[in-house]
Amino acid sequence: MDSIHQNFIYLDYNSTTPIDDRVLNEMLPYFSANYANPSGSHLFSLTVQDAVEQASEGIAIGMGTQSNNIIYTSGATEAINLVLKGLQFSNKKHIISISTEHKAVLETCAFMEQWGFEISYLKVDHQGMVNLESLVETIREDTALVCAMLANNETGVILPIRQITEIVHQHHALVLCDATQALGKIDINLRDLAVDFMVFSAHKFYGPKGVGGLYMADGAKKFLTPLIHGGGQQQGWRSGTVNTTGIIGMATALRIALEDLDKDQARIIQLRDYLESELLAIGDTFLNGSKTNRLFNTTNICFSTVLSEQLITRLGTISVSSGSACSAVTSRPSHVLKAMGLSDMEALSSIRFSLGRFTREVEISQTIMKVKQLVEKLRA
């Protein structure tokens, strides 16, 4: 990771993470020496198949489930599409989403309207928390699914998924939980969460890009329809040759993330709090979201009257974000911050700083100094 740090101060870990060298080393043999297709029947294929199965067991154990409940996809976005579009033949035609969900959820929900589904959007308060009473009031007999992310990608705010699940199941509907930002950053036990579907991506916890997954509870599988048909791989849920290197890399990345979680959290939270306290000491700034109920690596700060687009450009080799990685190139205000009650100008003046395993204190000090200089200059 040193080559990255020679050129950039990277504070955009919620967008993606650099692959850990330990993960890459586990993957490399499966690009070259152990290249057989795990779906084959000969001994070479069977040895690779065994490695994939062991990796799957590791991923399942890390999430508190069984490997036959996990389908591997190209990432969380595909997994979200698999769940939502897989409901096309459902007799129930009502879906509930929280207004601060990722665009992958919101845009797929909007697409479902073409198939006769009605979508309800739950509001959040100024800290990004959902009112559970509004969920009770919104859920109906024909509600098929409720979408609720575990941790928000822009603010880091953590939602009470277990309580949401209990309410939804009382009304005989299903829960889709987007855990893309949470897996590897907080301890997740699917037996405790009791969600019906959960999606995740390896590149958010120092694994490879292009691989992720969908957890499906046993009782929820019957409600879905596969998107991809073909050779019948993965129990017929997603045909096509499985991503051997990706699955092995993801398993290694998750194991390391969980093993190092306490150590990483203790170090990163100190750096985040240092960064946050110094930046909030600048006049006319405020924190977006909850100060306590959030991911340990994330802070989202509004620098009033300073356009984040201008600030990010002038920060140059300091990599930060104005919102979701999937929409950060646009100059539209963040839908997450708008849903939390910010004005267009406040949302357009907000920056997300997300720290990670390779963030160093000297980088935080340099960022503080540079941001303070630029905010003063841009306001002047």
Side-chain angles (χ1 to χ4, degrees):
M1 306 311 150
D2 291 341
S3 61
I4 293 176
H5 287 134
Q6 286 171 7
N7 301 311
F8 290 96
I9 295 175
Y10 187 73
L11 300 176
D12 198 19
Y13 278 81
N14 284 10
S15 169
T16 194
T17 58
I19 193 166
D20 192 296
D21 288 340
R22 294 168 288 180
V23 174
L24 184 58
N25 289 336
E26 287 290 324
M27 294 172 65
L28 285 175
Y30 295 90
F31 284 111
S32 51
N34 302 334
Y35 54 81
N37 189 327
S39 297
S41 57
H42 50 72
L43 184 59
F44 193 6
S45 285
L46 294 175
T47 58
V48 176
Q49 184 185 110
D50 185 56
V52 172
E53 288 175 356
Q54 286 186 37
S56 294
E57 285 294 325
I59 292 168
I61 290 169
M63 299 192 301
T65 186
Q66 304 293 321
S67 59
N68 62 0
N69 292 104
I70 298 172
I71 302 300
Y72 297 107
T73 65
S74 62
T77 297
E78 183 192 331
I80 288 164
N81 275 261
L82 173 56
V83 174
L84 283 163
K85 292 176 181 175
L87 294 173
Q88 59 182 297
F89 300 115
S90 171
N91 293 324
K92 296 181 175 183
K93 297 293 183 182
H94 181 231
I95 296 171
I96 297 173
S97 173
I98 298 172
S99 55
T100 49
E101 292 293 301
H102 192 277
K103 287 286 187 182
V105 168
L106 298 179
E107 293 191 10
T108 311
C109 281
F111 174 81
M112 294 299 288
E113 292 177 339
Q114 299 177 32
W115 284 345
F117 282 79
E118 182 185 346
I119 317 296
S120 297
Y121 297 95
L122 299 181
K123 294 180 179 179
V124 297
D125 63 19
H126 71 284
Q127 291 193 331
M129 298 299 291
V130 67
N131 184 331
L132 296 182
E133 289 181 9
S134 69
L135 171 60
V136 174
E137 292 167 2
T138 307
I139 200 163
R140 313 186 312 214
E141 284 187 12
D142 66 336
T143 301
L145 185 74
V146 175
C147 304
M149 68 191 337
L150 183 46
N152 189 272
N153 51 300
E154 295 192 28
T155 63
V157 169
I158 298 171
L159 294 182
I161 294 298
R162 175 68 198 204
Q163 293 170 266
I164 290 171
T165 302
E166 288 175 356
I167 292 168
V168 173
H169 286 172
Q170 286 169 9
H171 291 81
H172 310 292
L174 303 172
V175 175
L176 166 61
C177 177
D178 178 358
T180 310
Q181 287 298 335
L183 189 61
K185 296 192 188 101
I186 60 178
D187 192 20
I188 291 176
N189 189 318
L190 282 160
R191 294 185 191 90
D192 294 336
L193 289 181
V195 296
D196 302 286
F197 307 105
M198 190 182 84
V199 305
F200 51 94
S201 284
H203 75 102
K204 302 294 188 180
F205 48 91
Y206 312 96
K209 295 177 179 65
V211 64
L214 167 65
Y215 159 80
M216 300 191 295
D218 287 329
K221 293 179 182 179
K222 62 186 177 184
F223 296 101
L224 290 193
T225 308
L227 287 180
I228 301 173
H229 299 86
Q233 291 91 344
Q234 301 203 67
Q235 308 162 59
W237 286 108
R238 188 189 189 267
S239 291
T241 303
V242 297
N243 184 350
T244 300
T245 50
I247 294 167
I248 287 169
M250 180 158 60
T252 307
L254 183 58
R255 175 179 57 77
I256 292 170
L258 296 178
E259 286 174 355
D260 293 354
L261 185 57
D262 291 342
K263 179 181 69 175
D264 282 350
Q265 179 170 341
R267 192 183 67 83
I268 293 169
I269 202 166
Q270 282 191 319
L271 294 177
R272 184 204 65 187
D273 289 351
Y274 168 43
L275 172 71
E276 187 172 278
S277 62
E278 288 290 327
L279 295 184
L280 289 175
I282 302 171
D284 292 321
T285 59
F286 59 84
L287 179 71
N288 294 319
S290 169
K291 188 168 180 63
T292 53
N293 195 37
R294 57 172 163 160
L295 296 173
F296 63 82
N297 76 314
T298 307
T299 182
N300 191 308
I301 296 174
C302 177
F303 302 90
S304 299
T305 72
V306 177
L307 286 173
S308 57
E309 195 174 347
Q310 294 181 2
L311 185 54
I312 290 170
T313 302
R314 285 164 175 77
L315 282 169
T317 55
I318 300 176
S319 303
V320 295
S321 171
S322 60
S324 165
C326 302
S327 58
V329 293
T330 69
S331 57
R332 291 192 296 272
S334 157
H335 74 279
V336 171
L337 300 182
K338 287 278 291 175
M340 291 163 55
L342 272 70
S343 67
D344 282 0
M345 187 60 201
E346 289 170 334
L348 288 168
S349 301
S350 295
I351 297 277
R352 179 189 70 190
F353 302 84
S354 48
L355 288 60
R357 183 176 295 162
F358 305 106
T359 306
R360 299 175 297 173
E361 185 173 358
V362 64
E363 295 175 317
I364 297 300
S365 298
Q366 290 171 5
T367 300
I368 291 165
M369 181 176 66
K370 187 73 171 176
V371 170
K372 284 182 174 180
Q373 290 172 351
L374 285 171
V375 168
E376 184 179 349
K377 185 177 180 181
L378 287 167
R379 283 177 174 166

